[in-house]
Each structure stands twice: as C-alpha cells, then as structure tokens.
Amino acid sequence: MVSSYLLKDGQYFDHNKGEFINGDIFIIDGKISLNEPSPKEKMEVINCREKFIVPSFFDCHVHLNWSGSSNPIDDTIKDGPLGAIIRAYRNSMKSLASGITNLVDVGSFNDVAVNLAGMINRGVIFGPDILAAGRILCITGGHGAGMGYEINGPVEALSATRTLIKKGADLIKIAATSGAYGDTGAEKLESYQMNEDEIRAVTSEAHKFFIKVTAHALNPVGIHNALINGVDVIQHGAFLNKEDATFMFKNNRSLVPTLYVYRKLAQGGPGVMGKAVEKSRMVVENHNEAFATAMKAGVNIASGTDAGSPNLGDHPTLIEEVITMQEIGMSEADCIRAMTINAARAFGVQDSYGSIENGKKANLVLLGSNPLESVHNLYDVKSIIKSGRFLQKNDILSSII
Ligand SMILES: [Zn+2]
C-alpha cells in the first residue's frame, strides 16, 4: 500500500536553478506535491534535516542481461535463455539499490528486457521502470548482430521495426555504425553500417507510433546519417562534430555519451578481445572533444553507461560515468540534470519523471551529502523512493544476492 509522507526540513534540487532549496515535499498517492494538502492528510513525517533530496536517477544505456565481465557472452551462454531474465532482474534491482529508478535497455537477447519491463509495468513484480528496446537492429554482421535482428534494405528494416513494436518495445535501437566490440568484417571503426533509407524506414515507422529511435553511432558519417534521417538519441557520439552538434541542439535531439565504458575497455585485461581494446583507445582519443563540442552547442546530454558491457564491471556503473563527465568539464549541477531531467526529456517521459515538481512521480533519492560539492557524494544514498515507496539500499541488495 502506498502511504502519504512528509519529507520535512530537507533541501531539494531545483533543476531550473541548479541548486538546492529549503522546503518540504509531500508524497501523496505516489506523487510529489510541494504544497501542503488540504484537508490535511494523515501522513508519516520523515525528518530530512541534513539530507539532500534529488530526483532519482536514469541510466539511459544498459544491457540488463549482460554481466560486465571480460566476456559477457560466455556468461550469457552459462545463464541459458531462461537464466537471462533472472540476471536482467538482478541487475535492474542492483541499479535500483543505488538510486536508479529508470533504466533504458538498448539491446537484449530475445525479448528479455521487453518482457521484464512489461512484468514490472503490470505489477507482477516490483522493480525500476524500464524502457526496453528489445533486440537491436543492425545490418548483416553489423554491430550487435549476435543478439539483434539483421536487416538488409528498407523493407526488412520496416518489418523488423513493426515486429519490435508488436512485441511491446518502448523504443527502437539501431546500429548506425560499427562498435569497438565486435569481430566481423563489418566491424570497422571508420565505416558506417546502416544505409540512409534503412534508417529512414525505422524512424518513420517508429515515429508513427510515437516511439523514439536511438542509434549506436561512433563515426561522423554514421552520426550524421542517423541525425538527418530522424534518430532522436545518439548513443556514444564519439566523433560528433560541431555542425551535427548544432543540428542536434536546433532539432531537439539528445546525446548519451557513455564515456567511461570506452576508458574501461581501452584498459584491456585478461580475456578482453585485443581488437576491442585497440578500437576503444581510438574512441577515447576523440571522445572528450566530442563531448565538449556537444556541451558547447547546448545539446541535451543524458547519462548512460553501457552497463553490462565487456570489461565494465558489475551493474550499476552510473556514478562512475557521471564522475567522468564532471572530470572532463561538466558542472556538478549539469551532471545531476544529465541523470534526471535531461534523461527524461531525451526519452519523452519528462511529464512524469526527472524533476521535483507538483504532480510528478515521487521517485527520489535522499543523499547524506551535497552532490554539488562533489559528484562522488552521489554514492552517499541513504534512501530511495520509487513511486512513493521507501526503499533501503541494503534491503534490496540482501533480497537478491
Ligand atoms: Zn551498448
């Protein structure tokens, strides 16, 4: 049962001002109210003195059925097709325990992420809110081929898009270019993969149903092709140039830079594919500049990690990503916006999520120290509130592992 709460004497993050302001927050029927309800409701009072209240976090790029080990594909084979959904659930709950109430899964085996998202939505199980792309769309032998639909030509692109929408995908993910990880002849860092007419077939169909399209895109031609053919959110964008960044700003497109994952992959290690390490190093060399270009152009930047990817480590990895963004020039306030309101805007859910405003879902994190002083304080999670329900980090963790 959802109860009513008064979060008393705390400071909460005002996303417009980019600072904490003093004020009480009321939680009624799982929603935020900044005004005292009348008539007065019976509510539980939570003392929030010395707490910093922020909207709960988004990770806009995860792979819930991947482990983040040096070779997640090996782990997936060991898990088996039925174990995949259990791992996905475990990873989603580990994310929730660190304050991430919203996940965007941009590629899973079979229909794992779509089914898990649906079960949480229908109230079969409790978990974070997941927007799931289901299987990635790529060309034959393209990036993500092992777990995606390989499409060739606009007719197949249209057909696969319709299949994903039929299955309940919340968004569509395409591979516009090759990736750092991948070993086929098509996985060349300098090559784009999906053709313009194929991209257009996907975006026009998805947009018909008000579904967003996000693209894995590293090199400049692939980024440009994705943008001019209607892709809403660019993932990685490692070689984003000034012209395309300006186009993104003017046309309300978003960037999920995923900086940390390429740094981790570039470090290499036992069991990590040599070619992937090499390609990641080239990505890292350009990534900071592309990120700075996007910031300068005013692009809506949202936080995402590629959680579960090779060599990244166990889920979640969001704060490591945010620390990286801060280290290469993003202000602390903008880092919090990237994890909250910008992420909600990127995926069109800003009416319900991403800021502390009247009527929005009561998805909040109570921090013990001020994240504007240091983004490392984002680790200092005292409680998580999801849809008005209070959760403790250790309770969640002890229930799953
Ligand atoms: Zn990914």
Side-chain angles (χ1 to χ4, degrees):
M1 272 299 288
V2 176
S3 307
S4 298
Y5 296 98
L6 163 56
L7 309 186
K8 200 167 164 45
D9 296 333
Q11 300 180 57
Y12 67 85
F13 186 70
D14 180 315
H15 69 288
N16 289 319
K17 290 185 178 148
E19 57 191 46
F20 283 93
I21 56 172
N22 294 321
D24 294 339
I25 299 175
F26 301 89
I27 299 176
I28 300 153
D29 295 330
K31 295 211 168 127
I32 292 169
S33 173
L34 299 174
N35 315 109
E36 194 168 349
S38 68
K40 277 192 180 162
E41 294 217 8
K42 208 170 171 299
M43 50 180 67
E44 195 176 320
V45 178
I46 312 286
N47 179 4
C48 290
R49 195 161 292 153
E50 286 162 26
K51 294 283 187 305
F52 296 85
I53 306 169
V54 289
S56 55
F57 313 142
F58 279 68
D59 188 333
C60 299
H61 189 136
V62 300
H63 299 283
L64 287 171
N65 59 201
W66 273 6
S67 66
S69 71
S70 60
N71 192 338
I73 295 175
D74 274 359
D75 293 324
T76 305
I77 292 165
K78 283 182 203 143
D79 293 346
L82 301 178
I85 197 152
I86 297 175
R87 186 183 285 278
Y89 179 65
R90 173 223 185 249
N91 291 339
S92 74
M93 291 304 279
K94 273 205 79 187
S95 304
L96 183 62
S98 69
I100 305 166
T101 58
N102 294 73
L103 294 162
V104 183
D105 189 291
V106 291
S108 76
F109 290 94
N110 302 318
D111 302 319
V112 166
V114 169
N115 290 346
L116 178 61
M119 289 175 78
I120 293 169
N121 263 339
R122 301 199 312 275
V124 181
I125 46 169
F126 180 75
D129 292 326
I130 301 170
L131 294 173
R135 297 183 214 198
I136 188 170
L137 302 186
C138 63
I139 64 166
T140 290
H143 191 61
M147 61 174 181
Y149 288 129
E150 294 172 83
I151 56 100
N152 296 285
V155 173
E156 286 185 21
L158 174 68
S159 168
T161 304
R162 286 184 174 160
T163 300
L164 286 167
I165 294 171
K166 179 177 101 176
K167 285 170 179 282
D170 300 297
L171 70 152
I172 308 292
K173 163 84 176 293
I174 65 166
T177 72
S178 70
Y181 205 77
D183 202 20
T184 68
E187 289 280 35
K188 291 189 175 59
L189 203 52
E190 59 278 19
S191 305
Y192 70 89
Q193 290 189 341
M194 215 177 259
N195 292 339
E196 286 193 64
D197 57 354
E198 293 167 327
I199 298 173
R200 213 159 40 242
V202 175
T203 55
S204 57
E205 190 62 14
H207 291 164
K208 209 166 92 182
F209 299 104
F210 312 103
I211 286 175
K212 301 236 178 215
V213 179
T214 188
H216 163 99
L218 288 175
N219 69 50
V221 180
I223 293 169
H224 186 74
N225 286 349
L227 287 171
I228 61 169
N229 289 291
V231 165
D232 303 285
V233 183
I234 297 290
Q235 301 283 347
H236 318 304
F239 293 79
L240 177 70
N241 60 34
K242 199 175 156 198
E243 291 70 33
D244 285 328
T246 305
F247 179 91
M248 289 179 80
F249 172 72
K250 285 187 180 155
N251 292 280
N252 286 325
R253 312 298 172 83
S254 300
L255 174 70
V256 178
T258 73
L259 299 155
Y260 182 70
V261 63
Y262 290 103
R263 284 162 158 75
K264 284 292 286 182
L265 199 48
Q267 281 169 15
V272 182
M273 192 198 292
K275 256 191 200 168
V277 175
E278 227 173 86
K279 283 196 273 182
S280 295
R281 286 184 182 152
M282 289 160 72
V283 169
V284 171
E285 263 179 39
N286 284 276
H287 219 160
N288 290 7
E289 198 184 320
F291 179 67
T293 303
M295 276 197 294
K296 218 169 163 192
V299 176
N300 185 57
I301 298 175
S303 59
T305 65
D306 226 333
S309 269
N311 218 32
L312 185 54
D314 197 4
H315 298 242
T317 52
L318 182 66
I319 310 308
E320 289 84 343
E321 174 68 18
V322 172
I323 290 169
T324 310
M325 296 198 297
Q326 193 274 328
E327 279 172 359
I328 59 177
M330 187 175 253
S331 72
E332 285 82 359
D334 280 344
C335 285
I336 299 172
R337 290 185 179 112
M339 305 164 78
T340 57
I341 189 67
N342 291 6
R345 282 185 188 133
F347 291 94
V349 294
Q350 71 275 18
D351 289 345
S352 303
Y353 298 99
S355 60
I356 300 176
E357 290 180 275
N358 283 327
K360 287 207 179 179
K361 282 201 184 204
N363 283 9
L364 304 163
V365 173
L366 273 54
L367 297 167
S369 39
N370 188 345
L372 293 178
E373 279 169 16
S374 163
V375 284
H376 290 258
N377 292 338
L378 292 162
Y379 284 118
D380 191 12
V381 172
K382 299 298 181 195
S383 318
I384 303 120
I385 305 169
K386 156 101 204 304
S387 305
R389 185 163 153 181
F390 262 78
L391 308 163
Q392 302 303 325
K393 183 172 188 152
N394 289 337
D395 293 348
I396 301 174
L397 292 178
S398 61
S399 71
I400 49 163
I401 39 175

